[in-house]
Amino acid sequence: MSDVPTVSLLGTSALLFEAPGETTLETQRRIWALAREAAAWPEVDEAVPGMNNLMLAFATPPRNCAPLATRLQQAWAAASPLPLDGRLIELPVVYGGEGGPHMADVVAHTGLRPEEVAEIHAAPTYPVFALGSHPGYCYLGGMDPRIATPRRRTPVLSIPGGAVSIGGSQTGVSASAGPSGWNTIGSTDMAFFDVDRTPPTLLQPGDSIRFRIMRVVR
């Protein structure tokens, strides 16, 4: 795997910076630091951190992006991990049952009992690496590899907001109803996005989530 970051065009009005290596909390903290620095550059309209990457959007696209790409590479080399003093949010979750229709698939893949899946899933503190996919959705780090389960071959057309799911080595909570290729193992009543709230998203990069087991339904 290359240890050199890549920079590529996104259409005509954005650049995508992709960090090398695996997605870790330290790498993500360097992404946050790079986003904070790049957001102040005069040619940058918006700096949006993602999972192991950073998108720079321009109000007026530069005619030549090569100098900016070089500047990104240099800033990345000098970036120190930025610790964000976020909040810890506890999410009560009902595992299994109607709200966790794919718990049986995770059980079949891992060989664990539903109660064990829930206990392992609820044990870590999950840092919020980035927001994306849909408004309010959080990309989380830190899931135990013992419950990693491949994404579904056929996506589900619609899962409700608050669906707690596993996709590969990641876990997340759906902020609104929509399609998903992940395995839904539970549900929470927490609202992650509200247009009348400032900011409208409940969580921000640097916050953390703890899942609390309300009960496990077989």
Side-chain angles (χ1 to χ4, degrees):
M1 182 178 293
S2 173
D3 59 356
V4 178
T6 61
V7 181
S8 55
L9 284 170
L10 285 179
T12 60
S13 60
L15 282 181
L16 181 66
F17 172 93
E18 297 180 89
E22 298 181 0
T23 302
T24 65
L25 181 56
E26 181 175 354
T27 299
Q28 203 62 28
R29 283 175 170 166
R30 289 183 69 191
I31 289 287
W32 298 340
L34 186 62
R36 179 172 292 186
E37 178 177 348
W41 295 350
E43 61 268 64
V44 174
D45 185 52
E46 186 177 16
V48 183
M51 287 286 286
N52 230 36
N53 59 55
L54 173 67
M55 184 190 75
L56 300 185
F58 314 107
T60 303
R63 293 184 178 181
N64 183 1
C65 290
L68 187 57
T70 299
R71 190 176 179 187
L72 273 170
Q73 301 265 12
Q74 294 171 342
W76 173 253
S80 297
L82 175 67
L84 297 179
D85 296 326
R87 301 162 302 153
L88 175 62
I89 303 295
E90 186 176 85
L91 301 180
V93 178
V94 176
Y95 288 90
E98 291 185 4
H102 307 137
M103 173 65 86
D105 296 316
V106 176
V107 166
H109 178 77
T110 61
L112 299 167
R113 295 182 292 108
E115 292 80 5
E116 293 173 317
V117 172
E119 289 171 3
I120 293 171
H121 184 264
T125 298
Y126 295 92
V128 176
F129 278 5
L131 302 181
S133 178
H134 58 272
Y137 181 81
C138 301
Y139 289 101
L140 307 176
M143 192 182 77
D144 193 308
R146 289 178 293 171
I147 55 174
T149 303
R151 299 185 184 193
R152 306 189 65 77
R153 292 184 178 180
T154 303
V156 178
L157 293 179
S158 182
I159 59 173
V164 179
S165 304
I166 291 174
S169 61
Q170 289 184 269
T171 187
V173 186
S174 177
S176 60
S180 175
W182 290 26
N183 302 282
T184 300
I185 61 170
S187 62
T188 180
D189 291 332
M190 189 74 75
F192 288 83
F193 185 79
D194 184 348
V195 294
D196 295 323
R197 185 168 53 203
T198 304
T201 54
L202 174 66
L203 294 160
Q204 299 292 325
D207 288 340
S208 298
I209 285 178
R210 283 295 302 269
F211 295 105
R212 177 165 56 88
I213 301 173
M214 297 294 289
R215 61 183 184 276
V216 181
V217 181
R218 283 181 172 268

